[in-house]
Amino acid sequence: MEATGVSFAEQQMRRGRYFDQPPFPFVPGYDLVGTVHTVGPGVEQSLTRTRVAALVKTGGWASHVVVDRADLVPVPDGISATEAETVVLNGITTWQMLHRKARIRAGQTVLVHGANGGVGSILVQLAAGAGATVIGTASARHHDALRQRGVIPIDYRTPDLVARVREIAPDGVDAVFDHVGGPGIVGSWSLVAPGGTLVAYGSASTRDDTGNKQWPVLKLFGRVRLWNALPNRRHAYFYNIWAGRALAKERFRARLRADLTQVLAALRRGDVTAQIAAELPLTRVAEALRLAESGTIAGKVVLTP
């Protein structure tokens, strides 16, 4: 392993609140970038000493990790391990939500909540690259950086956030990407224009809640099902990066490899800039988690051996 990271999934897992996490004890680490050290029987020897990326869900916070050959994606030359790490989980998530769910086109307008975060920072770049007008919520201290990327920033603490977005997009937006969940998801849905899409991909607002860990996700999923049943010409999705794996594993793997390859190519071209909030060694993983959970950073916290 050369680089792994701290995502919102690990923050939830630490609390025992990730939807389908394994029982304690286990090694966290959702994704990683590393160099192949040894290959098993039937795997081409030429893969040895090549740099690859992989989505593993757990186990990435380790010096060595065993990964199935079918789950490896080559990392192009010219990209460092830490740079590539910022776009493995976050990049796949972003690409699939943007192109497979919302199907964003040039000339459309999108709203990205948490536009300064690990996923949000990639989302705004790929959406702008696709020709969309991007509105992004974030703390005021991140607004100048967002403007430099062509994003129209809004302070997420704005009392009437929906009304502020309506000032910018009176007819609503073509897509909303919401990782916050909770009661605020209703406001996100109200901003979707006819023919538009809401993509919910988390429930950050309930991170510190107690009680049944599945309830926030089930409630969110239920709302999505209800909204899609209504004749309102709008679409809602609850995005799960693992959807389809159980029923069509090889198709799932092929889609994941194709999407991550696209994101890594965008990173190499400079269409996406790696946003590293901090780089810490595995021995300081507790500090890395505290930093990631602080809500003060922009980008992704990366761990190295």
Side-chain angles (χ1 to χ4, degrees):
M1 186 278 288
E2 293 180 275
T4 181
V6 183
S7 66
F8 183 67
E10 286 98 0
Q11 297 173 40
Q12 288 183 303
M13 287 182 187
R14 181 181 73 79
R15 295 167 168 81
R17 297 194 60 79
Y18 192 73
F19 184 74
D20 57 351
Q21 72 183 74
F24 292 108
F26 65 93
V27 177
Y30 218 94
D31 59 355
L32 62 91
V33 173
T35 297
V36 178
H37 182 271
T38 307
V39 297
V43 178
E44 61 272 31
Q45 288 291 333
S46 59
L47 196 62
T48 306
R49 294 185 295 279
T50 60
R51 176 172 284 162
V52 294
L55 195 68
V56 293
K57 196 171 188 177
T58 58
W61 294 359
S63 62
H64 294 74
V65 183
V66 177
V67 183
D68 195 301
R69 170 67 180 91
D71 294 323
L72 299 180
V73 178
V75 175
D77 293 337
I79 302 174
S80 72
T82 51
E83 288 173 330
E85 162 57 26
T86 66
V87 301
V88 183
L89 172 59
N90 293 344
I92 296 168
T93 298
T94 298
W95 186 271
Q96 293 186 345
M97 291 194 302
L98 198 65
H99 295 293
R100 294 189 181 274
K101 296 299 184 185
R103 301 185 183 278
I104 291 302
R105 303 184 303 278
Q108 293 187 322
T109 300
V110 304
L111 171 64
V112 178
H113 288 294
N116 62 294
V119 173
S121 61
I122 301 174
L123 250 174
V124 298
Q125 292 180 77
L126 288 178
T133 298
V134 183
I135 305 168
T137 68
S139 298
R141 63 179 173 275
H142 299 299
H143 287 191
D144 287 344
L146 290 174
R147 289 189 186 97
Q148 291 175 9
R149 287 180 167 165
V151 178
I152 303 170
I154 300 176
D155 193 327
Y156 76 93
R157 298 184 183 91
T158 300
D160 194 342
L161 185 61
V162 171
R164 178 69 186 100
V165 175
R166 285 284 184 186
E167 291 175 8
I168 302 168
D171 297 325
V173 297
D174 297 290
V176 179
F177 301 94
D178 190 313
H179 72 297
V180 181
I185 197 73
V186 177
S188 290
W189 176 245
S190 72
L191 288 168
V192 178
T197 304
L198 166 68
V199 184
Y201 65 102
S203 187
S205 65
T206 65
R207 186 188 68 179
D208 297 321
D209 288 0
T210 57
N212 190 319
K213 67 182 180 183
Q214 297 184 350
W215 175 240
V217 174
L218 293 174
K219 188 175 182 179
L220 184 56
F221 185 70
R223 276 179 165 152
V224 167
R225 291 285 299 271
L226 174 62
W227 287 334
N228 281 331
L230 299 174
N232 50 39
R233 296 174 54 212
R234 295 178 289 170
H235 307 281
Y237 293 100
F238 178 68
Y239 173 79
N240 173 14
I241 197 168
W242 300 102
R245 190 175 191 273
L247 297 177
K249 190 172 184 178
E250 295 312 311
R251 181 181 176 185
F252 168 87
R253 283 169 154 170
R255 182 178 60 192
L256 187 147
R257 289 194 301 267
D259 294 344
L260 182 53
T261 297
Q262 291 275 13
V263 175
L264 288 169
L267 180 63
R268 187 182 186 187
R269 291 193 304 268
D271 297 341
V272 173
T273 301
Q275 193 158 339
I276 302 170
E279 184 178 331
L280 297 168
L282 273 174
T283 51
R284 296 168 63 188
V285 67
E287 180 183 343
L289 262 170
R290 282 192 290 269
L291 182 61
E293 294 177 8
S294 69
T296 62
I297 60 173
K300 187 167 187 179
V301 177
V302 177
L303 296 166
T304 55

